[in-house]
Amino acid sequence: MVVVSLHPTIQFWERSGMGTSTRKAALKLWGGRLPAKEPAELVRELYTAENGGNQEPSGSQDMAGIIYPGVSRLDYDFSYEGGYFPVHVESNNDPQVAAWLEKVIYMIPVVQRPSGYSPLGEKNLDPEWIGRLSQSGKDCYEAILARDAKALGAAMNACMVCWEKTLPQTVRHPAIQVDLKGILSRYQDKYAGAMYSGCGGGYLYVVSDELIPEGFQVKVRIKE
């Protein structure tokens, strides 16, 4: 999967796939500055601090997205630590890549994840679809490095299809009162691609070379 480290230029919604609980745990653990340690070690420290005793822990991608600067591809394998931590991380901190991503990605507030919602009520963990989900992450990373908006949009659209196939309640659930699927389809039809920031809604990421008035843009945190 792909994560992008962001400067907190706005206060993101909670329950929206933006790692807000993880950021709070990091502030409590370390204050406003990351310790001078290897990122992989910090990911494990933060994972333990946030998830100690939790039956449904936050995924380590939340920690990696805060700790690793730039754009990072996280490779997971069940044979490595049960799949809880990435076996390999590849990061890109090219200022031109970061500036391009800041230009073409718009975030549109849609709705916060409902209280009590879980996407795990229905599962279809078919190996073929899991493989396609993994491939969409690889394609996403390559598209960002190539600064190819069309390919990035296609990868995001493919990822959403995989989400819906493997966990159908990511966009349709009795607790969700908004037509997430309909909103997604409208933006995918009009722009290069779109996907939600998390299960159950949150923000809609949209790839566009044109201004989207209802959206806002972000600042990528790259390695100093």
Side-chain angles (χ1 to χ4, degrees):
M1 67 175 64
V2 177
V3 294
V4 179
S5 187
L6 301 178
H7 285 290
T9 53
I10 69 163
Q11 186 165 345
F12 291 110
W13 279 345
E14 297 185 358
R15 304 193 313 277
S16 298
M18 296 304 297
T20 52
S21 62
T22 304
R23 188 174 292 276
K24 288 179 181 178
L27 288 169
K28 183 177 180 181
L29 182 63
W30 299 316
R33 183 175 293 274
L34 294 174
K37 298 180 181 179
E38 287 296 318
E41 182 179 352
L42 294 177
V43 167
R44 285 166 172 75
E45 285 185 19
L46 185 52
Y47 183 92
T48 300
E50 182 177 3
N51 289 323
N54 288 354
Q55 291 186 340
E56 294 185 2
S58 299
S60 62
Q61 71 273 10
D62 291 350
M63 296 81 198
I66 291 173
I67 291 167
Y68 285 92
V71 181
S72 298
R73 193 191 76 202
L74 314 179
D75 298 338
Y76 287 87
D77 190 315
F78 183 75
S79 65
Y80 178 77
E81 299 194 54
Y84 284 99
F85 299 98
V87 65
H88 173 74
V89 178
E90 182 176 334
S91 295
N92 181 284
N93 284 275
D94 185 335
Q96 292 184 325
V97 170
W100 175 83
L101 195 60
E102 293 169 353
K103 180 182 177 183
V104 301
I105 290 288
Y106 286 83
M107 291 183 65
I108 299 171
V110 178
V111 65
Q112 290 173 280
R113 184 172 63 245
S115 179
Y117 162 84
S118 171
L120 304 179
E122 185 178 347
K123 301 177 184 178
N124 176 32
L125 304 182
D126 182 274
E128 179 183 349
W129 281 106
I130 297 298
R132 290 173 68 169
L133 178 62
S134 175
Q135 186 61 50
S136 75
K138 296 175 184 177
D139 293 343
C140 175
Y141 187 71
E142 293 303 319
I144 292 173
L145 267 56
R147 290 178 271 173
D148 186 333
K150 183 177 180 181
L152 176 57
M156 290 167 59
N157 291 345
C159 182
M160 281 304 311
V161 172
C162 295
W163 277 13
E164 292 181 67
K165 290 291 185 180
T166 55
L167 297 174
Q169 293 184 340
T170 53
V171 293
R172 291 192 178 97
H173 188 278
I176 299 174
Q177 302 300 308
V178 174
D179 183 10
L180 296 180
K181 177 64 175 176
I183 295 171
L184 174 68
S185 296
R186 286 198 296 273
Y187 279 93
Q188 287 179 333
D189 289 344
K190 187 174 182 179
Y191 299 102
M195 69 177 295
Y196 283 107
S197 58
C199 298
Y203 298 89
L204 192 65
Y205 300 130
V206 182
V207 182
S208 174
D209 290 318
E210 309 168 16
L211 173 68
I212 302 180
E214 66 272 29
F216 64 91
Q217 294 172 298
V218 295
K219 180 70 175 176
V220 178
R221 180 182 72 90
I222 60 175
K223 189 175 182 179
E224 297 178 359

